[in-house]
């Protein structure tokens, strides 16, 4: 640790690290990025210089052997996550992996097992759990203020920025598409908000002009939870003016979150029930910073990571079931995970 701060090694010279995670680590007060591993040394060195990171490696084993590394943040393309998380576990490093955790449920379970056996913390970067609106919604649901949950609507759409219109829209082998990119977050947030599991899904997918014939840029999923709540998830890459929202409707109240599906701490939450409609006061906090703080606390044995590896395996199972349903045009049972 440097000045008591948790030293992160980053896997991949990635956009999410550049735009969100490095700043969040630096500002967290508890963590510092100390090295980056890139398959390409020139890219890794340039990234490290740009981002003020002391070291760059082009061999993962060399970075994992660096004693300044207390844990690793994995932000490579999705097909690499399995192999790289296993390497972190074998090196005894705590690991925070971005979503989707892997390309299959079996791989994700393998990662969970390896981290458990190695005694390292394994977190999934489902940052939306860290939003003030989502924490407030979960608490209101837990307190029973909505009564029995009947229906959930998730709209998760925006414009995929031009610089991210790469593997996400053209490379199925890297886990491309709106379902693997967005629905996986939505599956997690539904689980988080309700404390319930999605057990059955159906999905339709389409290409509205940004995707390719092999990769959807739009998807609509319907789902049933274990306790019988029905819901839908709408994912879109190609709608610049889409606000993003979640509604939860119960027998005694409804919650409306808006502008809540992004990466920044923003958005509103309204509660509507027999007492009328009112704004739920929120104290926003940087989402990725909250995730990092929870991960570091867990690594120090002082708490739990905001989203575990098991959580990541379960959200992946839902996304993969949606993909299967979109292909088969049949409802799909989500396999039990863990
Ligand atoms: P990028 O496309 O920016 O980077 C992915 C990987 O590609 C990098 O790790 C890097 O690995 C490699 N790479 C970077 N530049 C180049 C290049 N010019 N040519 C070839 N390879 C290159 O991906 P993102 O940052 O958008 O996503 C990374 C992961 O994070 C994904 O799993 C994604 O799903 C997830 N993500 C999560 C978000 C969240 O909010 N939780 C938001 C955005 C992404 P290397 O340097 O080793 O070659």
């Amino acid at each position: 640790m440097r000045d008591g701060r948790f030293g992160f090694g980053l896997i991949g010279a990635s956009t999410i690290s550049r735009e969100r995670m490095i700043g969040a680590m630096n500002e967290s007060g508890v963590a510092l990025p100390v090295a980056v591993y890139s398959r390409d040394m020139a890219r890794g060195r340039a990234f490290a210089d740009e981002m003020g990171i002391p070291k760059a490696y082009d061999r993962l084993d060399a970075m994992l052997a660096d004693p300044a590394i207390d844990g690793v943040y994995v932000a490579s393309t999705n097909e690499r996550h399995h192999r790289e998380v296993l390497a972190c576990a074998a090196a005894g490093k705590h690991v925070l992996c971005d979503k989707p955790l892997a390309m299959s449920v079996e791989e994700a379970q393998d990662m969970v097992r390896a981290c458990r056996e190695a005694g390292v913390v394994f977190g999934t970067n489902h940052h939306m759990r860290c939003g003030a609106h989502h924490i407030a919604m979960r608490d209101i649901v837990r307190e029973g203020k909505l009564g029995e949950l009947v229906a959930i609507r998730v709209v998760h759409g925006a414009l995929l920025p031009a610089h991210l219109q790469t593997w996400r829209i053209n490379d199925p082998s890297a886990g491309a598409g709106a379902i693997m990119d967005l629905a996986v977050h939505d599956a997690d947030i539904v689980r988080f908000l309700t404390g319930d599991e999605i057990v059955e899904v159906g999905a339709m997918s389409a290409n509205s002009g940004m995707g390719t014939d092999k990769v959807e840029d739009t998807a609509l999923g319907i789902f049933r939870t274990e306790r019988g709540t029905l819901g839908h998830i709408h994912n879109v890459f190609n709608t610049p003016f889409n606000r993003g929202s979640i509604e939860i409707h119960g027998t005694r109240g409804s919650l409306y979150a808006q502008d809540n599906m992004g990466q920044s701490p923003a958005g509103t939450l309204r509660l509507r029930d027999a007492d009328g409609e009112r704004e739920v006061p929120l104290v926003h906090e940087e989402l990725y910073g909250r995730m990092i703080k929870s991960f570091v606390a867990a690594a120090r044995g002082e708490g739990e990571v905001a989203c575990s590896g098991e959580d990541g395996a379960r959200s992946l199972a839902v996304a993969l079931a949606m993909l299967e349903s979109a292909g088969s045009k049949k409802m799909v049972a989500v396999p039990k995970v863990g």
Side-chain angles (χ1 to χ4, degrees), residues 11-17 37-40 43-44 73-78 80-81 84 98-100 125-127 163-164 166-168 180-181 185 263 288:
I11 293 190
S14 66
T15 309
I16 181 67
S17 284
Y37 155 70
S38 171
R39 295 167 301 178
D40 179 311
R43 178 160 61 242
Y73 167 54
V74 178
S76 48
T77 44
N78 307 321
R80 290 168 51 185
H81 294 175
E84 291 169 345
D98 227 305
K99 43 53 62 174
N125 196 22
H126 278 310
H127 66 288
H163 66 287
L164 294 182
T166 56
W167 56 269
R168 270 184 185 76
M180 287 292 261
D181 199 49
H185 272 311
Q263 295 178 297
Y288 298 95

Side-chain angles (χ1 to χ4, degrees), residues 102-126:
M103 300 296 289
S104 71
V105 174
E106 292 71 25
E107 281 184 353
Q109 288 180 305
D110 204 23
M111 293 151 80
V112 168
R113 200 177 313 115
C115 289
R116 190 184 302 130
E117 285 171 9
V120 298
V121 173
F122 182 23
T124 307
N125 196 22
H126 278 310

Side-chain angles (χ1 to χ4, degrees), residues 25-143:
M25 286 173 194
N26 284 326
E27 283 159 29
S28 69
V30 299
L32 276 180
V34 296
V36 58
Y37 155 70
S38 171
R39 295 167 301 178
D40 179 311
M41 193 56 183
R43 178 160 61 242
R45 189 67 263 164
F47 185 89
D49 290 347
E50 176 195 343
M51 303 307 300
I53 297 173
K55 296 181 218 173
Y57 291 95
D58 62 0
R59 281 187 27 235
L60 181 55
D61 58 347
M63 185 174 83
L64 293 175
D66 184 336
I69 307 291
D70 300 304
V72 176
Y73 167 54
V74 178
S76 48
T77 44
N78 307 321
E79 83 290 359
R80 290 168 51 185
H81 294 175
H82 174 244
R83 165 170 34 98
E84 291 169 345
V85 167
L86 293 190
C88 295
K93 302 292 184 186
H94 304 292
V95 55
L96 176 63
C97 182
D98 227 305
K99 43 53 62 174
L101 268 195
M103 300 296 289
S104 71
V105 174
E106 292 71 25
E107 281 184 353
Q109 288 180 305
D110 204 23
M111 293 151 80
V112 168
R113 200 177 313 115
C115 289
R116 190 184 302 130
E117 285 171 9
V120 298
V121 173
F122 182 23
T124 307
N125 196 22
H126 278 310
H127 66 288
M128 284 199 291
R129 284 175 172 239
C130 297
H133 23 53
H134 299 140
I135 293 169
M137 289 170 98
R138 179 201 58 184
D139 291 347
I140 288 168
V141 168
R142 271 190 188 166
E143 288 159 14

